[in-house]
């Protein structure tokens, strides 16, 4: 019986707008990050299951808005108030384990 060969090839994600595949579950979010209209309170939260396109949408918006895109696990030790003075996208927010210790979370 033939044996399948496995190749450990690098995968480079392509987060370009033209590589995003709209679907019924993410079409509204795509419109929100691309149509240029202001968001309520100037903030937008994208939530959904893994593979829904949240990271891809964050990259599309960050490029369009000239924003900083940072992974949540990289936030610890950062000057968050300084980061928040400019357009900012935070990816993987549920991964912020230390966030519960912040005093404002108890408000």
């Amino acid at each position: 019986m033939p044996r399948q060969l496995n190749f450990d090839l690098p995968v480079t994600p392509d987060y370009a707008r033209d590589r995003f595949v709209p679907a019924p579950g993410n079409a509204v979010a795509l419109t929100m990050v691309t149509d240029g209209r202001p968001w309520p309170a100037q903030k937008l939260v994208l939530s959904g299951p893994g593979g829904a396109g949240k990271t891809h949408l964050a990259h599309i918006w960050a490029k369009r808005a000239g924003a900083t895109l940072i992974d949540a696990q990289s936030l610890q030790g950062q000057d968050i108030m300084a980061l928040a003075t400019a357009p900012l996208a935070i990816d993987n927010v549920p991964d912020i384990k230390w966030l519960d210790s912040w005093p404002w979370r108890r408000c």
Side-chain angles (χ1 to χ4, degrees), residues 35-61:
D35 76 357
R37 287 185 281 169
W39 305 325
Q42 298 182 346
K43 293 164 185 59
L44 179 67
V45 175
L46 299 175
S47 65
K54 300 177 299 293
T55 296
H56 198 147
L57 288 166
H59 279 268
I60 292 169
W61 175 78

Side-chain angles (χ1 to χ4, degrees), residues 19-75:
R19 302 293 293 170
F20 187 80
V21 179
N26 62 27
V28 171
L30 177 61
T31 299
M32 294 289 292
V33 300
T34 59
D35 76 357
R37 287 185 281 169
W39 305 325
Q42 298 182 346
K43 293 164 185 59
L44 179 67
V45 175
L46 299 175
S47 65
K54 300 177 299 293
T55 296
H56 198 147
L57 288 166
H59 279 268
I60 292 169
W61 175 78
K63 182 174 183 181
R64 189 174 186 284
T68 297
L69 177 66
I70 189 167
D71 190 88
Q73 291 184 352
S74 301
L75 281 175

Side-chain angles (χ1 to χ4, degrees), residues 74-90:
S74 301
L75 281 175
Q76 193 164 13
Q78 295 283 332
D79 182 350
I80 294 174
M81 297 307 287
L83 284 171
T85 62
L88 175 67
I90 303 171

